[in-house]
Amino acid sequence: MKESDSIRRDPLYRIIEETKELRKIESKFYRLFQRLKQINNLGLIPSILEMGVYPKYEHSLGTFYQINNLLEIIDDPKVENKYQLPLKIASLFLHTGHLPFTYSTEKALLLASNLGDRTKENEIKNYVKTKVYNILDELEAWDKDRKDKIWQKILSKEDAKDFYKYLSANIVVNNWVRIKEEIEGLKEEHLQIILKDMVDKSSDGYQFLQLADKADYVQRDALYFGTVQLDVSPSHLYRETGANNPEFSVDEEKLIENNLDYLKERFYEDSHVRWFSEIFEKILAGLIISKNFDLNWFEDYEYGDAEFKRLAIDGLNKDNEDIQLPDSWTTRAQELFNKDIQFKKVFDLEQLSFPADKDVIDLEYDLTDKRESKKGLLTYPFLRGVLLDIDYAEPRGFLQKSNVKPFDVRVFFKKGSSKLEELIRIIENISPRLSIINHTKHLREKLAAEISWTKDARIENGTTIKAITEAIKAIDEERNKNEQQFMEKFLSRISKRTSFDTLWDDFDNQVLWKSTISDFPGSTYPDQLYKTFTRGLLALPTKLLQYDTVKPYLNHIYEKMVEKMDTGVNTVEKGEMFEGLSIIDRIRRDNENFQFFINGMIFVDPEKEKGEKDDNEFDILEFILQENDKLKIQAYSCSIADNYEKKDTEQMTNLADTIRHNYTNISFKSKYIVPEDRENNRWEPILEPAGRDFET
């Protein structure tokens, strides 16, 4: 063993050598490292999922172990001796700045910094800013612009997970004299190297430290989650690592990254973990901004997870004193940890494009219709029963427009909430930015599942798509030789509606739909392209389709479908065409409120055998969010049969009863859509009451 006279037992590596640096630093900063033993490395996750628990200290020690091995294994003259000792010290202090409940508390502190007028300073923002700039100002040759960009990325939560590194770096700076005295060979010039190793993403030391950190937590988390246990030898991990290649060896990188992807999907990004963490952050931010909250508690080494939880739930400090924190927030904290608050994920929308100057705080205000305020972003989930979890997404590289950036938006609904209108409001606010290829379909399926008495639904509207597509093709077949085809004219027209320019910020809408059609090289469109166009058309925001300059195109489709109803198609095809005719008719009717349509909704019966046909089908559902915030739902059953009153009677009744039982502030109307006069071939759709109407 090198430079050690004792060992540490470790659940993952079994034995870790105790080096002089480790022994001296831990001895000198005993309380600091004792605190890490009181903080769970996985933050809130063990409060949510069944798993083993291990302290932040264990991961900190594991990171140090990985760095020592990396430095022994790599053979690179660029990694000089003068960089090795600072890297070891950086690894020892890297995690010391973590707050109780780790990232969740750190994000809550950043959220609290952003409340109220964001253009102004406040006590909490100044506290956070001081911690960040203490380190930025220590770093030589960093200009103001670079520092300000780093600060803004942390404040906006884009780099929220970097915040703890600055807290850790503050501990190093504040104790530098003691550290230098304790560790033989440390020089004044090494402080710059240590700080860069901790926070400078462009430095080799930083990259090495991130490798060591990842190597430990991926393997250690897998162990405590009870998944496939990894124990990859450092000699394999780092055999190809160097200053010009700060990465794992190729095969081992695949192993680590694949397991990390699995851990993210199964644990870190679990929907229960996401909403619980978001609610906790709002509760804690509510406590942080209260007048009796002392920011010094964040730096008190006697506050670990247990003490901080007691602070949030009972309002008691470490000395068991009642510190008069707001009852509204401590009560919510109690309910959260007692599992009396429960949310469920409804929508999961990836890669939504928003203006590049927006951040997650801006978007949460925008999508919830809230103005900047001290508590608005904190209280709405409890008052409205809906929760947004907005995160920065990975850009699509050259496919991403420069004026926008991508975000992932998850929408949660409080279990037992009766405020369905809140989900529709979110859809209204987000609709001008949805991918008409993926997002709108997802929203329709998940909204259908939410109102289903089976809590599962799917959308099957292929026959409707086919009927409308055939009408559009017929229009093109009758056009003049030199006249533009229908799809070209339609796309040209909607592109001129500047109020919906945001639609074309989405890659799917602009490239996979609009450009694929408008740039098609041939003179005759293939059938599949017509179907792609029709699916996109039915997924466009209803308001866009109702503009005076756009509605004539719907009218043209409508008229052609009425005309085709007179042709010699069989009864089944006539019924399918009539349903397509009816959805076009409903969409083109503007009632001056937000409208959202679902066509071809089927409630999945879990008791049906695989392959059996589900009976609970609904032709058209229309959601209308009225100005008084009351939600109006209209269910339509389309039929060309004489005995249409018998169609879907049981299904309509069940749907009405389910909505009435589960939601308030709703008016529900059921209608039959039938031909005006079938006997005389007058196929224009008219409405007849279905008799299952109510208001709550």
Side-chain angles (χ1 to χ4, degrees), residues 206-219:
Y206 181 93
Q207 299 298 326
F208 289 147
L209 200 50
Q210 295 309 297
L211 279 185
D213 184 53
K214 183 187 291 187
D216 184 78
Y217 78 73
V218 171
Q219 296 182 86

Side-chain angles (χ1 to χ4, degrees), residues 201-405:
K201 296 181 181 181
S202 66
S203 77
D204 295 334
Y206 181 93
Q207 299 298 326
F208 289 147
L209 200 50
Q210 295 309 297
L211 279 185
D213 184 53
K214 183 187 291 187
D216 184 78
Y217 78 73
V218 171
Q219 296 182 86
R220 197 173 296 276
D221 288 358
L223 171 65
Y224 282 93
F225 279 131
T227 63
V228 176
Q229 184 173 343
L230 295 177
D231 187 3
V232 185
S233 169
S235 62
H236 297 312
L237 277 174
Y238 305 119
R239 68 176 184 270
E240 298 171 14
T241 305
N244 294 325
N245 184 45
E247 298 176 355
F248 297 124
S249 303
V250 174
D251 292 336
E252 284 66 29
E253 180 174 18
K254 292 177 183 176
L255 182 62
I256 294 292
E257 292 299 331
N258 287 340
N259 276 274
L260 179 56
D261 289 342
Y262 169 75
L263 292 174
K264 284 180 180 178
E265 184 176 344
R266 180 65 180 82
F267 300 104
Y268 308 150
E269 303 295 329
D270 174 85
S271 63
H272 196 167
V273 170
R274 296 290 306 204
W275 74 253
F276 192 102
S277 301
E278 282 290 317
I279 291 294
F280 175 82
E281 289 162 26
K282 292 184 185 299
I283 291 171
L284 186 53
L287 293 171
I288 291 171
I289 65 174
S290 64
K291 65 178 182 179
N292 290 333
F293 192 92
D294 188 348
L295 295 175
N296 290 319
W297 292 330
F298 289 127
E299 300 177 49
D300 191 327
Y301 295 160
E302 294 185 39
Y303 280 95
D305 285 354
E307 292 76 19
F308 217 75
K309 182 178 178 181
R310 193 161 176 244
L311 188 73
I313 289 178
D314 299 323
L316 299 175
N317 66 12
K318 64 182 183 182
D319 298 319
N320 204 34
E321 298 170 335
D322 187 344
I323 47 181
Q324 300 296 308
L325 293 177
D327 288 341
S328 58
W329 291 114
T330 57
T331 299
R332 285 166 177 155
Q334 291 172 21
E335 292 173 344
L336 179 64
F337 282 101
N338 290 338
K339 300 182 178 169
D340 295 327
I341 295 176
Q342 293 286 324
F343 281 78
K344 58 185 177 181
K345 185 170 69 176
V346 183
F347 306 136
D348 192 347
L349 303 166
E350 297 182 350
Q351 291 285 327
L352 281 166
S353 295
F354 289 93
D357 61 351
K358 294 279 188 179
D359 61 35
V360 294
I361 307 292
D362 297 323
L363 297 186
E364 195 167 7
Y365 276 123
D366 292 345
L367 297 181
T368 56
D369 287 332
K370 304 293 292 185
R371 294 182 179 179
E372 287 187 357
S373 65
K374 198 72 173 174
K375 296 181 181 178
L377 286 189
L378 308 183
T379 57
Y380 80 85
F382 307 99
L383 302 177
R384 295 185 178 183
V386 67
L387 168 70
L388 292 184
D389 172 16
I390 307 173
D391 206 356
Y392 298 91
E394 285 294 324
R396 285 175 161 174
F398 71 93
L399 300 176
Q400 191 78 48
K401 287 186 174 182
S402 59
N403 64 326
V404 296
K405 62 184 176 185

Side-chain angles (χ1 to χ4, degrees), residues 57-69:
Y57 172 80
E58 195 176 298
H59 172 46
S60 178
L61 193 61
T63 304
F64 179 69
Y65 166 84
Q66 289 287 345
I67 277 293
N68 274 328
N69 279 279

Side-chain angles (χ1 to χ4, degrees), residues 460-470 534 538 561 576-577 579-581 583-584 599-600 619:
E460 289 187 5
N461 59 355
T463 55
T464 302
I465 298 292
K466 179 183 176 183
I468 297 172
T469 298
E470 291 300 319
T534 303
L538 293 180
M561 294 187 80
E576 294 169 351
M577 189 172 293
E579 184 176 332
L581 174 63
I583 185 68
I584 292 294
N599 166 235
D619 296 332

